[in-house]
Amino acid sequence: AQTVTQSQPEMSVQEAETVTLSCTYDTSESNYYLFWYKQPPSRQMILVIRQEAYKQQNATENRFSVNFQKAAKSFSLKISDSQLGDTAMYFCAFLPYSGAGSYQLTFGKGTKLSVIP
Amino acid sequence: DSGVTQTPKHLITATGQRVTLRCSPRSGDLSVYWYQQSLDQGLQFLIQYYNGEERAKGNILERFSAQQFPDLHSELNLSSLELGDSALYFCASSPGGGRPYGYTFGSGTRLTVV
């Protein structure tokens, strides 16, 4: 079974500053994906960024980037130039890929991020 | 709009009752997933259907059941409801088959059991 740990229940950052959210995971799988999802007050689950474990290069999506350390089983999210609209719950999620077509996400407990004007 | 449609958005019902939550996947997606988000348990996987057949089962109670119809929409049935079943229920869909690109969530159904 997989576990995903987000050790920071709440964080805050000044607008335009940079913040890093932490995530660690535990698995015996060799093929997997990692995700960061954002859940704003509207409660919609929005995909922020995805990382395939077989890729060494860290994923980036505009102001969002990850630091993927496979050996350490660490997957942190860096948000640059923070904006008020980034205020949300952020969930780290793990998805093992077996090729059998069963794709269950395991989520961390979430980090509540507040961007302060 | 993510393309995944969930109805109703809100539902209030009494203990012991039965409710049905509906999900229409994104066009072209064959897999449907159900997740429960509660304050104490966080986000938990319940069940997955692929092209009408059950593919994987997670922490789904025996009082809960689901199915996927030929038109690929899915329903999650919750019966003998208890106060602890109050939660946000998400449906997600993906193309299925190969690698899980395009895993997309709906906006959820907020269930309140009173």
Side-chain angles (χ1 to χ4, degrees):
Chain A
Q2 289 73 231
T3 59
V4 177
T5 302
Q6 294 179 247
S7 59
Q8 306 147 315
E10 290 192 43
M11 294 189 73
S12 61
V13 62
Q14 291 290 137
E15 194 174 6
E17 296 295 310
T18 296
V19 64
T20 299
L21 308 184
S22 300
C23 173
T24 59
Y25 59 96
D26 189 22
T27 185
S28 58
E29 301 281 346
S30 55
N31 296 322
Y32 54 88
Y33 293 79
L34 293 160
F35 303 85
W36 279 97
Y37 280 91
K38 168 185 175 180
Q39 188 177 39
S42 67
R43 77 189 182 196
Q44 176 76 45
M45 292 291 287
I46 301 167
L47 176 65
V48 175
I49 200 164
R50 177 182 66 218
Q51 175 78 43
E52 290 122 322
Y54 66 88
K55 290 186 177 179
Q56 292 186 345
Q57 185 175 5
N58 289 324
T60 61
E61 286 288 341
N62 301 312
R63 298 183 294 107
F64 299 89
S65 62
V66 299
N67 184 3
F68 174 49
Q69 302 290 328
K70 189 172 184 178
K73 296 181 180 175
S74 171
F75 183 61
S76 61
L77 174 70
K78 185 172 81 171
I79 305 174
S80 304
D81 185 25
S82 296
Q83 300 176 0
L84 296 179
D86 295 335
T87 293
M89 281 289 287
Y90 286 82
F91 293 95
C92 179
F94 175 97
L95 193 152
Y97 174 65
S98 64
S102 173
Y103 304 127
Q104 311 171 34
L105 283 167
T106 299
F107 287 89
K109 294 291 187 184
T111 296
K112 184 177 181 180
L113 177 67
S114 299
V115 179
I116 303 166
Chain B
D1 183 7
S2 68
V4 179
T5 303
Q6 289 189 248
T7 57
K9 292 191 183 303
H10 302 276
L11 198 51
I12 301 176
T13 190
T15 55
Q17 295 298 304
R18 172 189 168 95
V19 297
T20 297
L21 312 183
R22 182 187 170 99
C23 170
S24 294
R26 200 176 50 169
S27 179
D29 285 357
L30 299 178
S31 276
V32 170
Y33 313 78
W34 287 97
Y35 286 83
Q36 179 193 59
Q37 184 178 26
S38 60
L39 286 175
D40 54 344
Q41 296 293 325
L43 271 154
Q44 288 201 314
F45 169 75
L46 296 179
I47 198 165
Q48 176 197 357
Y49 278 82
Y50 174 74
N51 204 20
E53 295 188 359
E54 183 182 305
R55 180 62 64 95
K57 187 176 282 191
N59 298 319
I60 187 167
L61 299 172
E62 286 191 7
R63 301 182 286 107
F64 295 2
S65 65
Q67 56 184 326
Q68 186 179 27
F69 295 85
D71 67 352
L72 301 178
H73 90 272
S74 177
E75 293 181 356
L76 179 66
N77 300 296
L78 315 177
S79 61
S80 302
L81 285 167
E82 303 175 358
L83 296 177
D85 297 327
S86 294
L88 186 56
Y89 290 85
F90 282 106
C91 169
S93 72
S94 74
R99 295 187 180 273
Y101 297 137
Y103 201 113
T104 306
F105 282 84
S107 59
T109 293
R110 169 72 70 186
L111 173 67
T112 304
V113 182
V114 298

